[in-house]
Amino acid sequence: MTMQTSHEVAIKKPPTTPSTSLENLTNIIDDALKNQHFSMVYQPLFSMQSSKLTGFEALVRCQSPQFGFISPDKFIPHAERNGQIIELGDWIFKQVLLDLKRYLQYGLKDITVSINVSAVQIAETNVFEQIMSLVDKLEIPTRCIKLELTETALIKNPQIIAKVFNAFQQEGIQVWVDDFGTGFASLSLLREFKINGLKIDKSFVDGIATCNEDFTLCSAIIAMAQRLGMHIVAEGIENEIQLQILNQLGCDTAQGYLLGRPVSIDENLSRWGHS
């Protein structure tokens, strides 16, 4: 597959911030929720076969006036532990679905937007009713929505999660497993949850060209997904060699800094919008 790369993409993380204590993090999250310091960015996904844009993954960001950029790797696990993920998750659902409506209005009719869901949200709130209420209100086609849950989260309350996932799938919303290969879920869970697709974790993609074990794991995950009728995305692609190997192995969809970094909806619309 030949994919045009973006010269403006810098393969680096946002600037690091002063160290933040757990107490600080709780206050930062509260402050960010009250004063709109959270924002959404969207990373594009592309078909391996056609190079066509197929959708975006929605990713939350936090810019604290006092501490600067706070990594999601810090604030999301903290919010899950102390319950703040409920309010933050509510905000994310509303914002992402409003943005999805804008994408559709700008002519991106065939895309999907992937939303990360926490196991805490599924266990402690009515996620199904929340999302379906917004979908109905905004008149969004359910085929445009994908929900992602990490493999590790699957093993928490699997019966509840399976029931919620099944309800979403009956409405036409896809359910995906993120960071596949990094958790401890058994393969039987994939059958139990009737998963629509898998995302190969970046840690395996990083070593696919240099580490025989990573290459073997990626090829095995892709082959298994194909046999189970699941779609597969490789995330964290940063160079052409990784892209070529994954394409040869039969991966369906590509995501990573090589192809496009996470940017605001306005930046994406100026690049990809049709109206």
Side-chain angles (χ1 to χ4, degrees), residues 34-258:
K34 288 188 184 103
N35 297 298
Q36 300 181 329
H37 299 150
F38 285 113
S39 62
M40 298 307 301
V41 292
Y42 297 89
Q43 186 168 31
L45 288 83
F46 299 90
S47 164
M48 282 280 194
Q49 287 191 326
S50 68
S51 302
K52 181 184 174 187
L53 176 76
T54 61
F56 300 94
E57 180 179 3
L59 300 162
V60 64
R61 296 289 184 258
C62 180
Q63 188 72 29
S64 163
Q66 183 179 358
F67 292 94
F69 176 85
I70 311 294
S71 169
D73 292 341
K74 284 186 179 178
F75 72 76
I76 289 178
H78 184 75
E80 287 183 320
R81 284 191 295 271
N82 70 10
Q84 289 173 305
I85 195 68
I86 302 300
E87 188 178 352
L88 175 57
D90 288 351
W91 178 84
I92 289 171
F93 290 152
K94 288 172 189 168
Q95 189 60 54
V96 172
L97 291 175
L98 283 167
D99 288 346
L100 174 52
K101 182 75 171 178
R102 282 187 68 199
Y103 279 122
L104 296 171
Q105 289 170 337
Y106 271 73
L108 296 171
K109 303 292 187 190
D110 298 325
I111 64 153
T112 60
V113 171
S114 303
I115 309 172
N116 294 284
V117 182
S118 164
V120 178
Q121 290 172 280
I122 293 176
E124 297 184 18
T125 69
N126 193 332
V127 170
F128 176 75
E129 193 172 294
Q130 265 182 298
I131 291 179
M132 291 311 301
S133 173
L134 287 164
V135 165
D136 291 341
K137 183 179 176 183
L138 296 169
E139 299 181 330
I140 294 171
T142 53
R143 60 177 167 76
C144 296
I145 301 169
K146 291 179 180 175
L147 300 179
E148 294 184 6
L149 191 74
T150 63
E151 182 184 357
T152 306
L154 277 183
I155 58 179
K156 299 175 182 176
N157 300 312
Q159 288 80 18
I160 295 171
I161 291 172
K163 187 176 178 182
V164 173
F165 278 7
N166 185 52
F168 276 121
Q169 287 169 320
Q170 287 184 346
E171 295 292 339
I173 291 176
Q174 290 190 34
V175 174
W176 282 60
V177 175
D178 194 11
D179 300 339
F180 187 76
T182 60
F184 303 98
S186 68
L187 293 178
S188 64
L189 276 179
L190 295 181
R191 183 178 57 190
E192 181 183 340
F193 284 104
K194 301 183 179 129
I195 299 299
N196 297 107
L198 304 174
K199 295 188 81 171
I200 302 175
D201 188 67
K202 180 184 185 301
S203 61
F204 299 123
V205 173
D206 283 344
I208 196 169
T210 55
C211 173
N212 196 45
E213 287 81 5
D214 286 348
F215 174 85
T216 302
L217 280 168
C218 285
S219 59
I221 291 169
I222 292 167
M224 178 195 68
Q226 289 171 334
R227 286 181 174 83
L228 291 172
M230 296 177 187
H231 201 85
I232 193 138
V233 171
E235 55 186 355
I237 299 172
E238 295 187 351
N239 61 59
E240 288 283 356
I241 296 173
Q242 294 169 345
L243 186 69
Q244 289 166 10
I245 292 171
L246 287 159
N247 190 23
Q248 289 164 0
L249 289 174
C251 183
D252 300 300
T253 303
Q255 178 181 356
Y257 277 3
L258 176 70

